[in-house]
Amino acid sequence: MANRRSIIAGNWKMNKTGAEARALAEAFVKEVGAFSGCDIVLCPPFTALEAVRAAIAGAKNIALGAQNVHFEASGAYTGEISVGMLKDAGCAYVIIGHSERRQYFAECDSLVNKKAKAALAGGLKPIVCVGETLDVRDAGGTEKLVRAQIAGGLAGLTAEQMASVVVAYEPVWAIGTGRTATPAQAQEVHGWIRDELKKLFGPAVAGATRIQYGGSVKASNTAELCGQPDIDGALVGGASLEAKGFADIVRAGAKG
Ligand code: 13P
């Protein structure tokens, strides 16, 4: 099996003030600040990036990530944040194309693609999210949709750039619902994603790209999900808002 290092990311979504974020990050660092079994990313809201940066400064294995970015470098884009601004704030990663962005802010694969290219050009590692709604799954359309999201979102990237890309498979019906995909369901889709990566970029890139699972991940289901051959970590929402529980997920999700 390919030797992919697990990556566990916490997506705090629209939660935590600066002070709350600092307290959560500090408590988390106490738990796993010295843990080296996997890569860890914390993705607080923009307004708490600075607080979390300070809290994780001494923890080599914990990186900072943002939840969204604009593809232009600067200019008249009210309310938007650029790659350069995120780099300046200490980010190494950025989540792109989360299903909530797709659902509430009409993000499509071509926009995801522009953002991924901008992130990579500016030295940020994109975590590119894909996943189907329940309607699509029930209609048997998961494979087609997810392959299209991968092909569209990652179009035109080079093999070299792909070394900095993380993919996250997040079935929309499993997000915030407590209804996790079974390890077999998740593995099946991760297999399709890796196969699509192989078609697009060849076997070496496909074998090296890390694919996270997200959707109602908690400490009790992490090990089994992350034990699947094509699952290389987790993108965690609700359960990343509590330090001890998220630390348990990190420890459970690290695979050697
Ligand atoms: P939950 O873990 O709350 O289901 O959210 C998953 C998610 O959307 C992470 O990006």
Side-chain angles (χ1 to χ4, degrees), residues 9 11 13 95 98-100 129 170 174-178 214-217 235-240:
N11 173 10
K13 307 192 179 183
I95 297 171
H98 191 279
S99 68
E100 287 147 19
C129 302
E170 298 204 307
I175 294 177
T177 59
S216 296
V217 171
L235 181 53
V236 185
S240 70

Side-chain angles (χ1 to χ4, degrees), residues 151-172:
L154 304 180
L157 300 193
T158 65
E160 195 189 350
Q161 286 177 316
M162 281 301 296
S164 298
V165 172
V166 176
V167 173
Y169 168 57
E170 298 204 307
V172 178

Side-chain angles (χ1 to χ4, degrees), residues 35-109:
F35 184 76
S36 60
C38 64
D39 292 342
I40 305 169
V41 188
L42 296 183
C43 303
F46 293 131
T47 48
L49 285 171
E50 181 52 39
V52 174
R53 182 206 333 222
I56 64 174
K60 276 207 314 281
N61 224 25
I62 306 179
L64 191 63
Q67 300 173 18
N68 184 29
V69 70
H70 190 61
F71 57 84
E72 293 289 357
S74 64
Y77 300 98
T78 301
E80 294 295 321
I81 305 272
S82 71
V83 171
M85 290 168 182
L86 294 181
K87 288 280 290 179
D88 180 54
C91 290
Y93 290 85
V94 60
I95 297 171
I96 292 179
H98 191 279
S99 68
E100 287 147 19
R101 301 290 321 167
R102 294 177 188 258
Q103 183 179 353
Y104 304 126
F105 303 95
E107 294 201 3
C108 60
D109 294 329

Side-chain angles (χ1 to χ4, degrees), residues 2 4 159 162-163 194 197-199 201-210:
R4 293 182 295 268
M162 281 301 296
R194 204 171 299 287
L197 293 173
K198 191 168 150 195
K199 279 196 198 158
F201 302 105
V205 167
T209 303
R210 295 182 292 181

Side-chain angles (χ1 to χ4, degrees), residues 113-240:
N113 187 239
K114 281 187 181 175
K115 291 183 175 197
K117 284 178 173 159
L120 288 162
L124 279 181
K125 298 183 170 91
I127 298 176
V128 176
C129 302
V130 300
E132 82 287 2
T133 60
L134 192 56
D135 283 354
V136 169
R137 171 161 286 264
D138 287 346
T142 300
E143 178 175 0
K144 187 161 177 250
L145 178 84
V146 168
R147 283 184 186 272
Q149 288 175 327
I150 290 291
L154 304 180
L157 300 193
T158 65
E160 195 189 350
Q161 286 177 316
M162 281 301 296
S164 298
V165 172
V166 176
V167 173
Y169 168 57
E170 298 204 307
V172 178
W173 48 271
I175 294 177
T177 59
R179 186 180 162 192
T180 321
T182 65
Q185 280 175 323
Q187 167 57 33
E188 181 178 43
V189 181
H190 281 235
W192 293 330
I193 291 171
R194 204 171 299 287
D195 183 64
E196 190 62 29
L197 293 173
K198 191 168 150 195
K199 279 196 198 158
L200 294 166
F201 302 105
V205 167
T209 303
R210 295 182 292 181
I211 310 175
Q212 298 174 309
Y213 168 79
S216 296
V217 171
K218 45 188 190 266
S220 58
N221 60 26
T222 303
E224 205 187 353
L225 283 161
C226 291
Q228 301 300 307
D230 288 301
I231 300 184
D232 310 309
L235 181 53
V236 185
S240 70

